[in-house]
Amino acid sequence: MSLKSEPFTPAECYADTAYRANAIPEQSYAPQNDMLRGRILEARLPWGSCLNVNPTTYQYSESWFREYQHIGDDYHDYTMINENRWSKRVNEDIGIIYSFLRFIFVIYSHGFSFVRAGGGAGGGVLFTGIAIFTGLVGTIGQFFVEEPQFPFALLGVPLFVTIFCGIATLFLMLWEKHELKFYKGNRNWSDDYAFCRRTGMVKSFRGDFPFYEFDPYIEMTVGTQGSQFHSFKVIHRYPHRSQDPHSKNTLEFSFTVDGSIAQLYAMWDMLQRYMDVSQPLPDVPQLEPFRHLDPTTKAYDEAGKRGRPATYWRDLYANSSDEELKALREAHRAEVNGTIWGGRPDLMELSVPNYRETRKGEPEDVNDFGRFPWKTGKFVDRPEATPSVGSTDHPQDDTPR
């Protein structure tokens, strides 16, 4: 399967604005972001000190190889992430009615199926169980009345729910088998709403901003039943530059990662390395077909530093069973959770004068943080970052007047 292989030209190399972890420029003071008040931003992750550990969601993607095989030579443009940009938005050439019907279809098939996408019990099991339990209780209750009746609702409702969820299960199976046919003709990952490696810029509808102007956070939200959820957010540090004129919301991006708090740290580790042109692209399946298109990665691989064949991930997925991939996935999950993520300095303290004062603490035990939501974790100060030698730049105060 061939993809782009043209030789590099100067125009294709990195822009002067490209991000390099060892050359983060001096920046202005971080203003007090009033828009973040009221949100539970439990931890701000450190810049630099990458551990070269990728989140399991990307290291062992369950859908990657299927998409790669189906899309074929067009994979470079139809995938969310390539050597140029990590897109955060899909531009689809579809009508409103089609989009609405597909949304309803996905909600029904994924929400009421007996199995979840990717395996495991789905919502249909719960709904059917409740219906059957209710029917049994109602049926038993009829024996304690003088004139027992067996209305259709007692047995009919459980039967209806079972059929309803069974059809949803069938639709989900069809969706997983044919979903790429829905997307191949109209999916177009946006180049205008993305993290761009070669330029070091984050592009959005509110303008383009340097990657180093964003801060990584773990945000906790509380569900209606009191359950707690953690997510990874990248939020623009200077909201007066990127605020939405209508909603006044700060510019931010979310990255979906499954698993523990450690997986969120791994996500930030991977994103930094993806944007850092002084390092090769993260060695994950989705990026393998494009490694030879990135100058730094190409030189790294040609020097034999990768230590893997050029088609390592493609061969692994093509020749491994689902059981073997699942075992590898679980082993990697254990590796991520066992990595020591805490106790690292934050390099952004060297570029933003009041950065440490705005939020300097981190969970004492990052790996255990969030595992027991009812416990209040202890926060400790990060080690101070070591100033770079010969830095003479001075920041300007860019807080809004």
Side-chain angles (χ1 to χ4, degrees):
M1 187 177 296
S2 63
L3 290 169
K4 300 178 181 178
S5 58
E6 295 83 2
F8 296 117
T9 64
E12 292 178 316
C13 293
Y14 308 119
D16 293 338
T17 55
Y19 170 73
R20 294 173 175 82
N22 58 359
I24 302 177
E26 295 284 352
Q27 300 164 71
S28 57
Y29 287 81
Q32 178 63 48
N33 194 338
D34 294 332
M35 295 303 299
L36 299 182
R37 291 179 179 177
R39 299 174 61 173
I40 309 177
L41 301 175
E42 294 199 310
R44 188 176 69 192
L45 281 57
W47 281 86
S49 304
C50 291
L51 302 181
N52 297 312
V53 177
N54 302 313
T56 305
T57 302
Y58 288 88
Q59 190 79 40
Y60 289 97
S61 168
E62 296 181 355
S63 61
W64 165 77
F65 192 62
R66 184 163 54 93
E67 292 185 2
Y68 177 75
Q69 285 183 308
H70 180 79
I71 296 177
D73 290 345
D74 295 331
Y75 184 68
H76 182 274
D77 298 323
Y78 279 88
T79 184
M80 179 181 188
I81 175 175
N82 58 33
E83 86 288 355
N84 290 323
R85 54 99 180 109
W86 189 325
S87 181
K88 298 300 296 176
R89 186 181 182 90
V90 179
N91 292 327
E92 292 186 286
D93 185 18
I94 58 177
I96 297 178
I97 296 179
Y98 174 85
S99 179
F100 175 75
L101 292 177
R102 190 180 67 187
F103 172 77
I104 297 298
F105 178 86
V106 172
I107 292 295
Y108 171 53
S109 61
H110 287 63
F112 294 92
S113 171
F114 288 121
V115 296
R116 290 188 297 110
V125 175
L126 174 63
F127 299 133
T128 303
I130 294 175
I132 293 175
F133 176 77
T134 303
L136 288 175
V137 171
T139 302
I140 294 173
Q142 291 296 310
F143 292 102
F144 297 94
V145 299
E146 294 182 358
E147 297 181 1
Q149 297 179 354
F150 295 93
F152 171 78
L154 296 180
L155 297 179
V157 170
L159 179 62
F160 172 80
V161 173
T162 301
I163 296 174
F164 183 80
C165 294
I167 296 175
T169 305
L170 176 62
F171 283 167
L172 178 62
M173 295 171 62
L174 293 173
W175 172 263
E176 291 188 325
K177 183 178 180 180
H178 301 290
E179 66 169 311
L180 291 176
K181 295 180 181 179
F182 286 92
Y183 281 114
K184 177 69 182 293
N186 55 44
R187 183 172 65 173
N188 179 28
W189 288 100
S190 173
D191 293 333
D192 299 321
Y193 204 78
F195 287 71
C196 303
R197 173 175 168 90
R198 293 206 176 184
T199 64
M201 304 298 287
V202 179
K203 303 183 71 175
S204 74
F205 301 133
R206 305 181 199 174
D208 300 347
F209 305 93
F211 174 59
Y212 52 75
E213 288 188 356
F214 290 79
D215 290 327
Y217 289 95
I218 292 177
E219 182 177 22
M220 190 264 283
T221 55
V222 181
T224 56
Q225 304 297 324
S227 53
Q228 298 180 4
F229 305 92
H230 292 88
S231 58
F232 174 63
K233 298 291 181 66
V234 181
I235 305 175
H236 192 231
R237 186 183 310 122
Y238 305 102
H240 55 286
R241 299 182 193 166
S242 59
Q243 218 172 61
D244 184 274
H246 303 292
S247 66
K248 305 302 180 182
N249 291 334
T250 303
L251 180 62
E252 65 177 61
F253 298 87
S254 298
F255 289 82
T256 302
V257 186
D258 296 331
S260 63
I261 295 294
Q263 296 284 347
L264 304 183
Y265 274 77
M267 181 69 252
W268 174 233
D269 196 278
M270 177 181 170
L271 179 60
Q272 286 186 91
R273 286 181 284 114
Y274 172 80
M275 291 295 291
D276 187 356
V277 297
S278 67
Q279 299 190 53
L281 290 167
D283 197 352
V284 293
Q286 295 96 319
L287 288 171
E288 184 178 66
F290 319 128
R291 293 181 66 88
H292 65 289
L293 301 177
D294 179 74
T296 300
T297 309
K298 185 174 185 288
Y300 181 87
D301 291 353
E302 289 180 345
K305 296 181 180 180
R306 185 190 182 196
R308 287 175 171 175
T311 58
Y312 171 81
W313 289 112
R314 282 165 279 183
D315 295 340
L316 176 67
Y317 275 79
N319 301 319
S320 300
S321 65
D322 291 340
E323 291 73 18
E324 290 172 326
L325 289 173
K326 182 178 180 181
L328 290 171
R329 189 177 298 115
E330 293 308 312
H332 184 268
R333 193 179 303 278
E335 177 186 349
V336 174
N337 293 338
T339 300
I340 305 302
W341 295 102
R344 294 176 293 159
D346 194 330
L347 294 184
M348 196 56 67
E349 294 178 4
L350 304 177
S351 300
V352 180
N354 62 335
Y355 198 72
R356 185 171 179 83
E357 286 70 25
T358 56
R359 185 181 289 261
K360 60 182 178 180
E362 70 170 353
E364 183 179 35
D365 187 343
V366 170
N367 301 77
D368 198 43
F369 179 67
R371 192 173 300 171
F372 304 102
W374 57 88
K375 292 185 178 180
T376 303
K378 181 180 179 182
F379 279 69
V380 297
D381 288 351
R382 292 187 184 278
E384 291 191 17
T386 304
S388 58
V389 178
S391 176
T392 58
D393 295 333
H394 298 282
Q396 298 177 351
D397 189 351
D398 193 35
T399 55
R401 301 298 182 183

